[in-house]
Amino acid sequence: MGKNLLSIIGNTPLIHLSRLFANDRGIQVYGKLELLNPGGSSKDRSAARIINEAWDEGLIGPGSVIIESSSGNMAISLAAICSYLGMKFISVIDPKTTQQNIRIMRAYGAHIELVDKADAETGEFLPARLNRVQQLVASTPSSFWPNQYANKNNHLSHSEGTMREVIEELGHVDYIVGGVSTCGTMLGCANYARDRKLPTKIVAVDAKGSVIFGGANGTRRFPGLGAGIVPPFGQTKFMDQALLVADLDMVAGCRLLAAKESILAGPSSGAVIHALKSIESELPNDAVCVVILHDRGERYMDTVFSDEWVAQQFGGFSFTTDA
């Protein structure tokens, strides 16, 4: 019997980034290609596990309405999975959501609910979006909120999936580096390492302008990295090191990854590449590192990979492929 959409989520390849991180100190860096999941991102894992568990528990079934707050990859993953399983999906978004992501969601049959006014108290859209989710769930029969921000199946999909796969393939990993938004991915990786008393250091990467690590709230141009409020999974300090990356450095990281390794990835991946580059000189000899490449770059042709957009946003831009 042939495989279906849900059965091919996960088990993504690990590849050696030997050109981008060429060195004479024995340091090896591998990229976990989460962008090769069928929905194009690591969010396929959490979306599939959350939906599967809810289905098995009888909370949802054919004809259910799934309602979630997401501006990007989680919404795309849920849209695809709901379409496959015969459920309706409503994505609650805000004006920062890219037109490309909206087009992809709609191609999967998703309904779009735009929240155009930020939360009065915080000035952030996320609380306003979550409030709209609650209103829709209350007024929509047979509806279900996955709640990616607090559903344990989010981080379990990465402890039992992403991190398990990495360790089974490499055996020993000194550093694993990934971006945070809900914090599900890196919390899952941290839990796997701690439960098995592995020496792996968890390096969490966030956007400048995000408050997850206690920084000042500021402008963030890209979806999928950072948050204006600290999510439940980010309430405890699960990481060994936290690094902040500016938007322009994310762009540089994306372009470096494309130029050196021919991998087209999104800004959270660019942030991870830049973050590891920034601490490369501090890594011990023979360190084995894994970077999580979260999503595909094709979704960012109008932003990250557009010279005109970058020049407009950052007032000029010069890019070099010198790693």
Side-chain angles (χ1 to χ4, degrees):
M1 187 174 172
K3 294 180 177 179
N4 63 33
L5 176 80
L6 299 181
S7 69
I8 61 168
I9 291 171
N11 295 306
T12 53
L14 264 178
I15 62 167
H16 190 196
L17 303 179
S18 56
R19 297 187 66 211
L20 185 51
F21 290 93
N23 64 89
D24 57 5
R25 296 200 290 126
I27 296 169
Q28 298 179 64
V29 179
Y30 296 87
K32 182 68 165 161
L33 298 185
E34 288 298 287
L35 49 83
L36 290 184
N37 277 302
S41 81
S42 59
K43 294 292 189 180
D44 275 8
R45 293 182 186 266
S46 45
R49 176 153 182 150
I50 288 170
I51 293 298
N52 280 333
E53 291 294 321
W55 189 285
D56 289 346
E57 291 170 22
L59 299 174
I60 58 174
S64 290
V65 182
I66 309 302
I67 306 171
E68 181 61 290
S69 159
S70 172
S71 58
N73 290 323
M74 186 65 171
I76 290 168
S77 296
L78 284 170
I81 291 167
C82 289
S83 172
Y84 183 79
L85 294 174
M87 298 187 294
K88 180 180 175 182
F89 174 58
I90 300 174
S91 181
V92 178
I93 67 168
D94 62 49
K96 295 180 182 178
T97 307
T98 67
Q99 288 303 308
Q100 180 74 341
N101 282 346
I102 293 171
R103 285 193 290 267
I104 296 171
M105 291 178 221
R106 284 190 166 137
Y108 283 121
H111 294 254
I112 306 300
E113 180 79 14
L114 174 66
V115 172
D116 56 8
K117 287 187 174 60
D119 175 60
E121 192 175 325
T122 64
E124 283 290 320
F125 278 103
L126 181 55
R129 284 185 357 211
L130 291 174
N131 184 51
R132 184 65 182 133
V133 167
Q134 299 308 315
Q135 293 171 354
L136 287 169
V137 168
S139 63
T140 307
S142 304
S143 60
F144 174 75
W145 177 34
N147 190 8
Q148 61 168 322
Y149 306 97
N151 191 316
K152 66 179 181 180
N153 291 302
N154 182 343
H155 62 79
L156 286 173
S157 72
H158 296 289
S159 57
E160 297 177 11
T162 311
M163 191 64 174
R164 174 187 57 78
E165 292 166 20
V166 165
I167 296 300
E168 285 180 355
E169 187 163 346
L170 294 178
H172 173 85
V173 176
D174 295 295
Y175 297 85
I176 185 158
V177 190
V180 293
S181 53
T182 66
C183 294
T185 303
M186 299 313 291
L187 175 60
C189 291
N191 287 344
Y192 185 96
R194 303 254 162 81
D195 290 348
R196 288 156 184 80
K197 297 182 169 51
L198 302 179
T200 309
K201 286 189 164 49
I202 308 298
V203 181
V205 180
D206 197 10
K208 284 187 178 173
S210 167
V211 304
I212 293 174
F213 300 151
N217 197 8
T219 302
R220 300 185 311 280
R221 294 172 178 83
F222 302 117
L225 198 67
I229 59 175
V230 181
F233 298 143
Q235 303 282 350
T236 56
K237 186 177 179 295
F238 58 82
M239 75 292 293
D240 296 289
Q241 191 168 0
L243 300 171
L244 295 176
V245 177
D247 288 348
L248 185 57
D249 290 328
M250 294 182 204
V251 172
C254 287
R255 294 187 175 209
L256 201 55
L257 185 61
K260 293 289 188 180
E261 300 286 354
S262 299
I263 297 171
L264 213 56
S268 55
S269 300
V272 167
I273 294 298
H274 178 84
L276 186 56
K277 276 284 175 193
S278 73
I279 62 170
E280 191 175 7
S281 62
E282 304 164 25
L283 300 175
N285 291 347
D286 302 316
V288 176
C289 309
V290 171
V291 292
I292 297 177
L293 303 180
H294 295 271
D295 74 342
R296 292 180 191 156
E298 289 90 342
R299 292 168 188 177
Y300 307 96
M301 287 296 124
D302 295 336
T303 55
V304 171
F305 295 100
S306 165
D307 289 348
E308 294 77 14
W309 183 88
V310 172
Q312 178 190 40
Q313 290 291 316
F314 301 102
F317 177 65
S318 61
F319 173 68
T320 174
T321 58
D322 295 335

PDB file of all heavy atoms in Angstrom, residues 14 49 58 75 130 144 146 171 191 204 226 239 242 245 290 295 311:
ATOM      1  N   LEU A  14      19.734  14.732   7.095  1.00  0.00           N
ATOM      2  CA  LEU A  14      20.819  15.520   7.695  1.00  0.00           C
ATOM      3  C   LEU A  14      21.926  15.602   6.665  1.00  0.00           C
ATOM      4  O   LEU A  14      22.353  14.571   6.140  1.00  0.00           O
ATOM      5  CB  LEU A  14      21.372  14.805   8.934  1.00  0.00           C
ATOM      6  CG  LEU A  14      20.882  15.162  10.328  1.00  0.00           C
ATOM      7  CD1 LEU A  14      21.568  14.249  11.334  1.00  0.00           C
ATOM      8  CD2 LEU A  14      21.143  16.613  10.683  1.00  0.00           C
ATOM      9  N   ARG A  49       1.077  15.800  14.690  1.00  0.00           N
ATOM     10  CA  ARG A  49       0.925  15.118  15.978  1.00  0.00           C
ATOM     11  C   ARG A  49      -0.280  15.658  16.755  1.00  0.00           C
ATOM     12  O   ARG A  49      -1.037  14.899  17.352  1.00  0.00           O
ATOM     13  CB  ARG A  49       2.196  15.246  16.810  1.00  0.00           C
ATOM     14  CG  ARG A  49       2.018  14.619  18.182  1.00  0.00           C
ATOM     15  CD  ARG A  49       3.260  14.121  18.798  1.00  0.00           C
ATOM     16  NE  ARG A  49       2.954  13.511  20.089  1.00  0.00           N
ATOM     17  CZ  ARG A  49       3.627  12.523  20.625  1.00  0.00           C
ATOM     18  NH1 ARG A  49       4.648  11.998  19.978  1.00  0.00           N
ATOM     19  NH2 ARG A  49       3.301  12.035  21.800  1.00  0.00           N
ATOM     20  N   GLY A  58     -10.935  11.308  19.830  1.00  0.00           N
ATOM     21  CA  GLY A  58     -12.334  11.556  19.487  1.00  0.00           C
ATOM     22  C   GLY A  58     -12.749  13.010  19.589  1.00  0.00           C
ATOM     23  O   GLY A  58     -13.944  13.320  19.551  1.00  0.00           O
ATOM     24  N   ALA A  75       0.069  27.413   9.985  1.00  0.00           N
ATOM     25  CA  ALA A  75      -1.198  27.512   9.258  1.00  0.00           C
ATOM     26  C   ALA A  75      -1.142  26.715   7.960  1.00  0.00           C
ATOM     27  O   ALA A  75      -2.106  26.031   7.594  1.00  0.00           O
ATOM     28  CB  ALA A  75      -1.520  28.976   8.966  1.00  0.00           C
ATOM     29  N   LEU A 130      -5.406  35.565  19.384  1.00  0.00           N
ATOM     30  CA  LEU A 130      -5.849  34.485  20.273  1.00  0.00           C
ATOM     31  C   LEU A 130      -7.257  34.757  20.812  1.00  0.00           C
ATOM     32  O   LEU A 130      -8.057  33.830  20.970  1.00  0.00           O
ATOM     33  CB  LEU A 130      -4.855  34.309  21.422  1.00  0.00           C
ATOM     34  CG  LEU A 130      -3.484  33.758  21.020  1.00  0.00           C
ATOM     35  CD1 LEU A 130      -2.536  33.763  22.210  1.00  0.00           C
ATOM     36  CD2 LEU A 130      -3.603  32.356  20.441  1.00  0.00           C
ATOM     37  N   PHE A 144     -12.344  23.051  16.955  1.00  0.00           N
ATOM     38  CA  PHE A 144     -11.239  22.619  17.821  1.00  0.00           C
ATOM     39  C   PHE A 144     -10.067  23.580  17.648  1.00  0.00           C
ATOM     40  O   PHE A 144      -9.700  23.932  16.531  1.00  0.00           O
ATOM     41  CB  PHE A 144     -10.806  21.194  17.442  1.00  0.00           C
ATOM     42  CG  PHE A 144      -9.583  20.712  18.186  1.00  0.00           C
ATOM     43  CD1 PHE A 144      -9.669  20.320  19.519  1.00  0.00           C
ATOM     44  CD2 PHE A 144      -8.349  20.652  17.551  1.00  0.00           C
ATOM     45  CE1 PHE A 144      -8.531  19.868  20.206  1.00  0.00           C
ATOM     46  CE2 PHE A 144      -7.213  20.207  18.224  1.00  0.00           C
ATOM     47  CZ  PHE A 144      -7.307  19.819  19.547  1.00  0.00           C
ATOM     48  N   PRO A 146      -6.158  23.843  18.138  1.00  0.00           N
ATOM     49  CA  PRO A 146      -4.950  23.055  18.396  1.00  0.00           C
ATOM     50  C   PRO A 146      -4.074  23.647  19.495  1.00  0.00           C
ATOM     51  O   PRO A 146      -3.367  22.920  20.187  1.00  0.00           O
ATOM     52  CB  PRO A 146      -4.215  23.067  17.049  1.00  0.00           C
ATOM     53  CG  PRO A 146      -5.271  23.339  16.035  1.00  0.00           C
ATOM     54  CD  PRO A 146      -6.250  24.243  16.713  1.00  0.00           C
ATOM     55  N   GLY A 171      24.702   9.855  16.537  1.00  0.00           N
ATOM     56  CA  GLY A 171      25.223   9.225  17.746  1.00  0.00           C
ATOM     57  C   GLY A 171      25.612  10.212  18.826  1.00  0.00           C
ATOM     58  O   GLY A 171      25.183  10.102  19.966  1.00  0.00           O
ATOM     59  N   ASN A 191      14.360  18.517  26.003  1.00  0.00           N
ATOM     60  CA  ASN A 191      13.803  17.451  26.834  1.00  0.00           C
ATOM     61  C   ASN A 191      14.397  16.092  26.475  1.00  0.00           C
ATOM     62  O   ASN A 191      14.698  15.287  27.358  1.00  0.00           O
ATOM     63  CB  ASN A 191      12.278  17.411  26.702  1.00  0.00           C
ATOM     64  CG  ASN A 191      11.599  18.567  27.416  1.00  0.00           C
ATOM     65  OD1 ASN A 191      12.207  19.233  28.256  1.00  0.00           O
ATOM     66  ND2 ASN A 191      10.349  18.824  27.083  1.00  0.00           N
ATOM     67  N   ALA A 204      19.350  28.293  21.485  1.00  0.00           N
ATOM     68  CA  ALA A 204      18.082  28.825  20.978  1.00  0.00           C
ATOM     69  C   ALA A 204      18.326  30.194  20.348  1.00  0.00           C
ATOM     70  O   ALA A 204      18.989  31.052  20.941  1.00  0.00           O
ATOM     71  CB  ALA A 204      17.069  28.926  22.105  1.00  0.00           C
ATOM     72  N   GLY A 226      10.455  34.493  16.841  1.00  0.00           N
ATOM     73  CA  GLY A 226      10.172  35.513  17.836  1.00  0.00           C
ATOM     74  C   GLY A 226       8.699  35.650  18.163  1.00  0.00           C
ATOM     75  O   GLY A 226       7.835  35.065  17.516  1.00  0.00           O
ATOM     76  N   MET A 239      17.157  26.317  27.485  1.00  0.00           N
ATOM     77  CA  MET A 239      18.322  26.382  26.606  1.00  0.00           C
ATOM     78  C   MET A 239      19.606  26.623  27.400  1.00  0.00           C
ATOM     79  O   MET A 239      19.584  27.149  28.508  1.00  0.00           O
ATOM     80  CB  MET A 239      18.141  27.466  25.537  1.00  0.00           C
ATOM     81  CG  MET A 239      18.311  28.903  26.008  1.00  0.00           C
ATOM     82  SD  MET A 239      17.036  29.522  27.142  1.00  0.00           S
ATOM     83  CE  MET A 239      15.607  29.550  26.059  1.00  0.00           C
ATOM     84  N   ALA A 242      21.310  31.466  24.555  1.00  0.00           N
ATOM     85  CA  ALA A 242      20.295  32.172  23.780  1.00  0.00           C
ATOM     86  C   ALA A 242      20.971  33.274  22.971  1.00  0.00           C
ATOM     87  O   ALA A 242      21.753  34.054  23.518  1.00  0.00           O
ATOM     88  CB  ALA A 242      19.233  32.769  24.706  1.00  0.00           C
ATOM     89  N   VAL A 245      19.324  37.622  16.804  1.00  0.00           N
ATOM     90  CA  VAL A 245      19.827  37.934  15.459  1.00  0.00           C
ATOM     91  C   VAL A 245      18.964  39.032  14.847  1.00  0.00           C
ATOM     92  O   VAL A 245      17.730  38.960  14.882  1.00  0.00           O
ATOM     93  CB  VAL A 245      19.812  36.675  14.567  1.00  0.00           C
ATOM     94  CG1 VAL A 245      20.253  37.015  13.147  1.00  0.00           C
ATOM     95  CG2 VAL A 245      20.721  35.590  15.156  1.00  0.00           C
ATOM     96  N   VAL A 290      24.554  20.616  14.958  1.00  0.00           N
ATOM     97  CA  VAL A 290      23.407  20.464  14.058  1.00  0.00           C
ATOM     98  C   VAL A 290      22.625  21.766  14.065  1.00  0.00           C
ATOM     99  O   VAL A 290      22.322  22.316  15.131  1.00  0.00           O
ATOM    100  CB  VAL A 290      22.499  19.301  14.494  1.00  0.00           C
ATOM    101  CG1 VAL A 290      21.202  19.285  13.679  1.00  0.00           C
ATOM    102  CG2 VAL A 290      23.224  17.963  14.341  1.00  0.00           C
ATOM    103  N   ASP A 295      12.407  26.138   7.335  1.00  0.00           N
ATOM    104  CA  ASP A 295      11.434  26.170   6.232  1.00  0.00           C
ATOM    105  C   ASP A 295      12.072  26.603   4.918  1.00  0.00           C
ATOM    106  O   ASP A 295      13.210  27.039   4.864  1.00  0.00           O
ATOM    107  CB  ASP A 295      10.223  27.039   6.589  1.00  0.00           C
ATOM    108  CG  ASP A 295      10.507  28.540   6.571  1.00  0.00           C
ATOM    109  OD1 ASP A 295      11.689  28.934   6.615  1.00  0.00           O
ATOM    110  OD2 ASP A 295       9.538  29.326   6.535  1.00  0.00           O
ATOM    111  N   ALA A 311      16.960  46.495   0.058  1.00  0.00           N
ATOM    112  CA  ALA A 311      17.482  47.871  -0.008  1.00  0.00           C
ATOM    113  C   ALA A 311      16.468  48.862   0.564  1.00  0.00           C
ATOM    114  O   ALA A 311      16.828  49.794   1.293  1.00  0.00           O
ATOM    115  CB  ALA A 311      17.826  48.233  -1.444  1.00  0.00           C
TER     116      ALA A 311
END
